[in-house]
Amino acid sequence: MLRCRLISCHRKPGFLLRLSSSSSHHGRQQETLDIQDTSCSREDHVGPSLGGSRKGDDLKFIRFFDEVDAHMAKRKTRIGNASNSLENLFDSMQKPTSSNPPRLDNSTAIMTDPISGKQRNILDAFPMPSHSTRHQNTNAFDEDAYQDYANMLDDVMKQASSWYKGSQEVTKWLKSEERLMEYHLPTLDRAIREDGVDPNDMELRDELEKQRVDFLEKLSIDEKDYELAKNILIKIGRVCASRAKSRPLDIAWEKVKEAGMYMKDDTLSNYLYVVSTYPSMSMSLGPFESIFDVFDPSKESENENDIDSTKFQEDGESRKRDISEEIAAFYDCIYVPTEQSTSVRVKALVRKGNAKGAEMLLENSGMTKLRLRSFQPILKQYLQQGDLRAALSLYSRMRSEPNVNLDAETYVQVIANIAEKGHFCHDSLPIDGVDEYGFSTSNGPEFLDQLVTDMSEDVIEISSALAKRLHTAIQKSFKDKKSGRNLEEQHPLAPLKQEIDSAEADETLACRVTIDKTTGACPRSGARLRLIKLAKSEREHLKTKLFELADTLQKNFVKNRKKKDKPQPKVTASKMLQSFSAWLDKRKGKPFTAIVDGANVAYYLQNFEEGKFNFHQIKFMVDTLEGMNEKPLVVLPSKYVGKSFYVIRGNGVQKQRLSEVDWAILNRLRDAGMLYVVQENNLDDLYWMLASISEQEKSRQGVSLDVSVEDPSGRWPGTRPMLVSNDQMRDHKLGLVEPRLFRRWYASHIVNYTFTGFVGDECVDDEIMFSPADFFSQEIQSNISTFGFSEGTGTRVWHFPVNDWNENERFCLRV
């Protein structure tokens, strides 16, 4: 018995269809039939083992069918059947004729089904498509997309059974598997081609109205039926959004255009949201749907009765349409362009390689609140095309847009692409014409410093992937330079290696290092990282944000509290917080140098059965701080200074009453002016945050409260006032507008502590261990390295925190 198997079949330019047949009897010949698409370069796609290039074979093929015909000609004498198609060739290989009697040799493409034992033709395993009328009709919708649409339509009609009373004609149209009439919307086509539209232009509206009239006449339906069909298509869009499915809209959108429907802006926005957020493969109505369609002569020319629509863009292989671009252009032709529609159209233009057109579209859109996503695709394409002048022009515009916040990925993308072009080398040529975009120089290390300085104003840290991207770009740029002698190319999937050896003065650095947490020194560059504190303007800005946050949190608290009958606060939270700020500035006496989060200290290690809100722990903290020559202020919520309150203990919620000793501790703090009670409906966290950045104008009298390294009293160095708390304050980080301010404040002021928790009024250890504020900031910064340089000279080094490395690790960059 002869067996035939498919060795390989690759559907791509230069694909190979290889069939191998061999006899089950020993000693019989084996033959391989190779069918090679040689429409592409033979050097690229045809190896020595493929048809037309084997030893002794002088076949030279220009087109795929030339090779098929050549193989057919070679078999004619043995098969005795003049075939004109590959399908007939396979038929001739299995049908017995007078000149081709049935025999078990390698000219018969018959194989045995191992389960049924029946003889089967190779085409049974790889059947030719059934060239139905629907398949040949390019007016028909994509089968898979239509099936999804039909299923969605059934669901929607069931939901709409109470109000949908459409006629048989309109229902049949909604369920139709193909377009029933042609449509002409040349304005929409022009808007896509010319990348610009005028929402005041009435042409598309007029074209839709004409289409609508023709549609009503074609289907012989009335306005009521028309509106019912329109509502069904609107409903399909909503259901697609709720189910995160876009493919049914491939068909629904075709029907919208076929019916000339003038959709409201919210419906179009919903369609656009679905197709751009959950994209499916664009519908293809090209002539070839299968690899075997190339063997069908009927596919060589289109049906003369096919509808001539202008909505498809030619992509060189098949006509495909970008539905999201079409809906966005449709929207912009009728309504004022939105950020969403503009961004979708920008991405579509970039996919076509038209970055200039995309940028022009942004300029002509009239949009005043563009976001980063509108610019990113254009910038990326400029960089990929090597058009650095255009890229830097757009980069400059992006940084000037008030609503565009450049992220770490965008900055690294710009820096890495410029690095790969060699513009950060000392001997590099400048980029012509970029001085008009605000750059003082466009080559050398100073150019890198400008870009990273920009980045440090907007970005706090990078990821390890971005660190790897920077390393790769710098290594590529400096690999042939003397300064890059120690820059090693690393495997794309391997993490950056730690480097600990001191670098020479002329050495380019792009490496992973660990900073000494006690000195802030970098082992490679010798530069010392510093603690970047809040400037006075930044402290004032942070205060403003705290006032705003106070009102927001108070409103949410009042809205969500269980007892709705409680009266509304008479004074807003921001007013109360401002009053506290004024008290700090006007009070006389010694300024506060240590703000204590009283509730955090009192609850520390009290989550056990006898645990409680322990006032003895607050006293312990205050006494310890005073013994260290600090002036503490304890901030407490008002609930803890009443006769009783509820606390969460190890065995649940219980009521706690203040003892005489508790009252004595509170009264002592009050009498010493070291207690501030935060009133109900206000968050105490905001009060101790504010206290840590208060100017304390009258008590401080313009003297800095910070402690230097050489302080004679032995106080540990750092920023004052410090904030004593173990609270991670994740909520505040989310609430503040600018994470950089929060991080600078947190790094400068927060002091953590540990001690043995009290049981009642007893503690086995009378010492508190403090973890002072950070020695250096957790943000991108530059410092001067003096390693290997003469006195008074050095070079700038940048250090980037990496969010998925260890806390003290940095990416070190110097050119």
Side-chain angles (χ1 to χ4, degrees):
M1 177 60 63
L2 190 71
R3 293 178 175 83
C4 182
R5 62 191 178 94
L6 181 70
I7 297 177
S8 59
C9 177
H10 305 282
R11 185 176 183 179
K12 57 185 179 180
F15 70 78
L16 168 69
L17 178 65
R18 173 175 290 183
L19 300 175
S20 176
S21 61
S22 61
S23 172
S24 60
H25 298 282
H26 294 291
R28 298 303 295 255
Q29 183 181 2
Q30 176 173 321
E31 179 175 347
T32 298
L33 169 62
D34 290 334
I35 303 175
Q36 171 68 33
D37 179 2
T38 55
S39 58
C40 297
S41 168
R42 297 196 60 84
E43 290 76 16
D44 292 339
H45 299 293
V46 182
S49 64
L50 305 185
S53 60
R54 291 185 293 268
K55 185 176 181 180
D57 195 343
D58 2 333
L59 293 174
K60 300 295 182 183
F61 305 120
I62 299 174
R63 296 184 307 114
F64 171 80
F65 287 100
D66 292 336
E67 184 165 1
V68 174
D69 292 339
H71 281 290
M72 289 165 56
K74 289 174 65 177
R75 284 185 171 269
K76 276 184 182 180
T77 56
R78 291 183 315 208
I79 298 175
N81 185 12
S83 302
N84 292 319
S85 72
L86 186 61
E87 184 175 7
N88 290 334
L89 171 61
F90 285 140
D91 288 342
S92 70
M93 292 168 67
Q94 67 166 327
K95 295 177 182 178
T97 64
S98 57
S99 60
N100 182 32
R103 57 186 180 179
L104 299 177
D105 65 12
N106 59 4
S107 65
T108 309
I110 303 295
M111 61 183 177
T112 300
D113 188 324
I115 298 177
S116 66
K118 294 181 179 180
Q119 292 184 346
R120 300 174 60 201
N121 185 281
I122 185 64
L123 295 181
D124 292 335
F126 302 96
M128 296 287 289
S130 57
H131 301 297
S132 63
T133 304
R134 185 184 191 286
H135 188 76
Q136 293 180 355
N137 181 9
T138 56
N139 302 333
F141 300 126
D142 174 83
E143 293 186 46
D144 292 334
Y146 176 78
Q147 190 58 54
D148 281 358
Y149 165 82
N151 294 337
M152 184 73 72
L153 179 64
D154 288 343
D155 291 347
V156 168
M157 283 191 160
K158 287 176 184 176
Q159 297 174 21
S161 58
S162 61
W163 57 265
Y164 179 75
K165 309 297 180 185
S167 66
Q168 183 178 355
E169 288 78 10
V170 76
T171 302
K172 180 181 178 182
W173 173 75
L174 284 169
K175 294 183 176 181
S176 172
E177 301 181 31
E178 61 182 62
R179 291 183 299 278
L180 301 183
M181 64 178 292
E182 64 181 80
Y183 57 81
H184 296 286
L185 303 173
T187 300
L188 177 61
D189 180 58
R190 187 172 66 252
I192 295 173
R193 285 199 324 269
E194 298 177 2
D195 315 325
V197 290
D198 181 1
N200 298 316
D201 194 334
M202 301 296 291
E203 288 187 48
L204 181 58
R205 295 177 176 83
D206 295 340
E207 292 162 7
L208 287 172
E209 177 60 22
K210 182 179 184 305
Q211 185 70 28
R212 188 184 73 86
V213 171
D214 293 345
F215 176 78
L216 291 172
E217 182 179 347
K218 175 78 173 179
L219 267 65
S220 300
I221 61 174
D222 57 19
E223 293 287 352
K224 183 179 179 180
D225 269 344
Y226 185 84
E227 287 302 315
L228 286 172
K230 186 176 180 179
N231 288 332
I232 289 292
L233 294 175
I234 292 172
K235 181 69 174 175
I236 286 176
R238 292 173 182 166
V239 176
C240 283
S242 66
R243 298 183 184 178
K245 292 187 68 174
S246 66
R247 194 150 66 165
L249 293 188
D250 287 4
I251 310 303
W253 178 244
E254 283 296 303
K255 291 187 178 291
V256 166
K257 293 183 293 182
E258 184 181 2
M261 290 180 177
Y262 187 100
M263 293 291 196
K264 291 183 178 179
D265 59 345
D266 59 341
T267 300
L268 286 175
S269 294
N270 182 60
Y271 266 50
L272 184 57
Y273 165 77
V274 174
V275 298
S276 60
T277 307
Y278 315 108
S280 65
M281 186 174 294
S282 298
M283 184 187 301
S284 172
L285 298 182
F288 300 135
E289 300 289 347
S290 160
I291 186 173
F292 291 103
D293 289 346
V294 296
F295 306 137
D296 183 1
S298 67
K299 292 291 183 179
E300 294 185 13
S301 61
E302 296 185 12
N303 190 325
E304 61 181 7
N305 296 319
D306 287 347
I307 293 172
D308 180 20
S309 297
T310 58
K311 61 191 172 304
F312 302 108
Q313 67 181 58
E314 295 296 326
D315 64 2
E317 294 179 354
S318 62
R319 296 176 303 171
K320 293 183 179 179
R321 59 191 178 91
D322 188 327
I323 295 176
S324 60
E325 179 188 22
E326 196 170 75
I327 296 175
F330 190 100
Y331 184 100
D332 290 355
C333 284
I334 299 176
Y335 304 105
V336 176
T338 65
E339 194 273 337
Q340 180 193 30
S341 65
T342 302
S343 294
V344 168
R345 298 186 68 198
V346 163
K347 291 176 183 177
L349 287 168
V350 168
R351 284 195 293 272
K352 299 174 187 176
N354 188 5
K356 291 287 186 186
E359 186 175 6
M360 187 173 296
L361 176 66
L362 283 183
E363 292 177 0
N364 298 334
S365 67
M367 294 291 299
T368 57
K369 294 185 178 181
L370 292 168
R371 292 190 290 175
L372 178 61
R373 69 175 184 179
S374 302
F375 293 95
Q376 267 182 329
I378 309 173
L379 179 65
K380 183 177 181 180
Q381 188 163 86
Y382 279 145
L383 292 170
Q384 289 175 341
Q385 293 172 345
D387 191 346
L388 297 184
R389 179 174 181 176
L392 290 171
S393 170
L394 185 63
Y395 164 86
S396 180
R397 178 186 172 186
M398 291 166 68
R399 296 198 76 244
S400 66
E401 289 282 343
N403 297 298
V404 176
N405 298 312
L406 274 69
D407 57 17
E409 184 178 356
T410 302
Y411 276 111
V412 170
Q413 195 176 55
V414 171
I415 294 169
N417 275 272
I418 294 175
E420 287 172 342
K421 298 296 187 296
H423 288 287
F424 297 142
C425 298
H426 289 269
D427 56 354
S428 61
L429 295 175
I431 303 172
D432 292 335
V434 300
D435 54 335
E436 60 185 282
Y437 309 133
F439 295 98
S440 59
T441 183
S442 60
N443 67 312
E446 295 80 10
F447 188 29
L448 173 65
D449 290 341
Q450 287 185 72
L451 294 172
V452 184
T453 298
D454 289 348
M455 181 178 180
S456 67
E457 293 172 1
D458 296 325
V459 176
I460 297 173
E461 61 192 9
I462 62 176
S463 66
S464 58
L466 294 179
K468 190 69 174 289
R469 177 76 179 94
L470 286 172
H471 171 272
T472 301
I474 297 296
Q475 190 275 332
K476 180 179 178 181
S477 177
F478 287 85
K479 64 181 180 180
D480 297 327
K481 306 289 184 181
K482 180 183 177 182
S483 65
R485 56 190 176 276
N486 291 322
L487 288 173
E488 297 180 1
E489 183 176 359
Q490 299 197 14
H491 191 281
L493 299 181
L496 281 178
K497 296 186 299 184
Q498 280 272 3
E499 297 189 24
I500 59 175
D501 297 331
S502 299
E504 296 182 36
D506 66 338
E507 194 173 336
T508 296
L509 302 179
C511 55
R512 179 178 184 173
V513 297
T514 297
I515 307 300
D516 189 308
K517 64 180 181 180
T518 61
T519 65
C522 170
R524 286 285 282 154
S525 66
R528 289 183 179 270
L529 278 65
R530 68 194 190 282
L531 183 66
I532 305 175
K533 303 176 185 178
L534 290 169
K536 184 174 181 178
S537 61
E538 291 175 322
R539 290 197 299 271
E540 291 301 318
H541 184 64
L542 184 54
K543 281 184 185 179
T544 301
K545 294 303 177 185
L546 289 175
F547 296 147
E548 294 173 1
L549 185 58
D551 281 340
T552 300
L553 293 174
Q554 185 186 58
K555 289 176 184 177
N556 292 338
F557 175 76
V558 172
K559 179 181 177 182
N560 297 326
R561 66 185 175 187
K562 294 181 180 179
K563 295 183 179 180
K564 302 294 184 182
D565 56 341
K566 279 193 173 185
Q568 295 290 322
K570 294 181 179 180
V571 182
T572 63
S574 60
K575 292 292 184 184
M576 298 286 286
L577 193 58
Q578 288 169 7
S579 175
F580 173 62
S581 178
W583 174 75
L584 287 170
D585 283 338
K586 293 177 182 179
R587 62 173 288 275
K588 298 178 181 179
K590 193 175 180 181
F592 297 117
T593 61
I595 313 300
V596 179
D597 178 359
N600 183 267
V601 172
Y603 275 126
Y604 181 67
L605 296 181
Q606 291 295 309
N607 191 25
F608 56 94
E609 190 170 350
E610 293 81 17
K612 63 177 183 177
F613 185 91
N614 200 309
F615 288 92
H616 292 280
Q617 294 189 168
I618 295 178
K619 179 180 182 299
F620 182 40
M621 179 63 72
V622 169
D623 291 346
T624 301
L625 290 170
E626 286 186 309
M628 299 165 59
N629 296 319
E630 304 292 346
K631 173 70 173 178
L633 170 68
V634 178
V635 177
L636 271 181
S638 60
K639 67 173 282 188
Y640 298 115
V641 297
K643 293 181 180 180
S644 63
F645 50 86
Y646 288 95
V647 296
I648 300 175
R649 294 182 180 173
N651 55 356
V653 178
Q654 294 186 16
K655 192 172 187 177
Q656 178 176 332
R657 296 183 183 277
L658 270 68
S659 66
E660 290 185 7
V661 176
D662 295 337
W663 282 114
I665 294 173
L666 285 174
N667 289 333
R668 185 241 169 182
L669 292 174
R670 276 199 186 99
D671 294 343
M674 294 189 294
L675 176 66
Y676 191 91
V677 178
V678 179
Q679 297 305 307
E680 187 180 9
N681 298 326
N682 290 268
L683 190 66
D684 62 310
D685 304 34
L686 303 183
Y687 283 74
W688 39 254
M689 289 178 71
L690 183 81
S692 68
I693 58 173
S694 172
E695 296 294 330
Q696 301 188 65
E697 293 175 353
K698 186 161 286 189
S699 60
R700 189 168 61 87
Q701 296 182 346
V703 177
S704 173
L705 301 179
D706 295 346
V707 179
S708 67
V709 178
E710 296 83 14
D711 184 76
S713 64
R715 299 164 67 196
W716 77 67
T719 307
R720 299 294 190 276
M722 59 182 171
L723 173 57
V724 181
S725 177
N726 286 337
D727 193 328
Q728 297 300 309
M729 289 165 281
R730 296 184 179 91
D731 293 338
H732 309 304
K733 183 177 179 181
L734 295 175
L736 292 170
V737 174
E738 296 182 37
R740 178 185 304 280
L741 295 183
F742 181 88
R743 184 170 289 200
R744 285 187 177 178
W745 167 80
Y746 192 93
S748 302
H749 294 274
I750 292 294
V751 172
N752 300 135
Y753 61 87
T754 59
F755 58 80
T756 304
F758 279 61
V759 178
D761 61 352
E762 296 182 354
C763 179
V764 297
D765 191 354
D766 61 354
E767 185 178 4
I768 300 178
M769 300 296 295
F770 293 95
S771 299
D774 293 344
F775 196 89
F776 50 89
S777 296
Q778 299 291 323
E779 61 179 280
I780 299 172
Q781 60 174 277
S782 69
N783 297 281
I784 300 300
S785 169
T786 58
F787 263 19
F789 289 88
S790 57
E791 187 175 352
T793 62
T795 184
R796 187 177 299 277
V797 185
W798 288 94
H799 288 90
F800 301 72
V802 179
N803 53 29
D804 45 350
W805 288 355
N806 293 330
E807 183 180 14
N808 295 324
E809 288 186 307
R810 296 290 187 273
F811 178 74
C812 175
L813 178 61
R814 181 183 76 184
V815 299

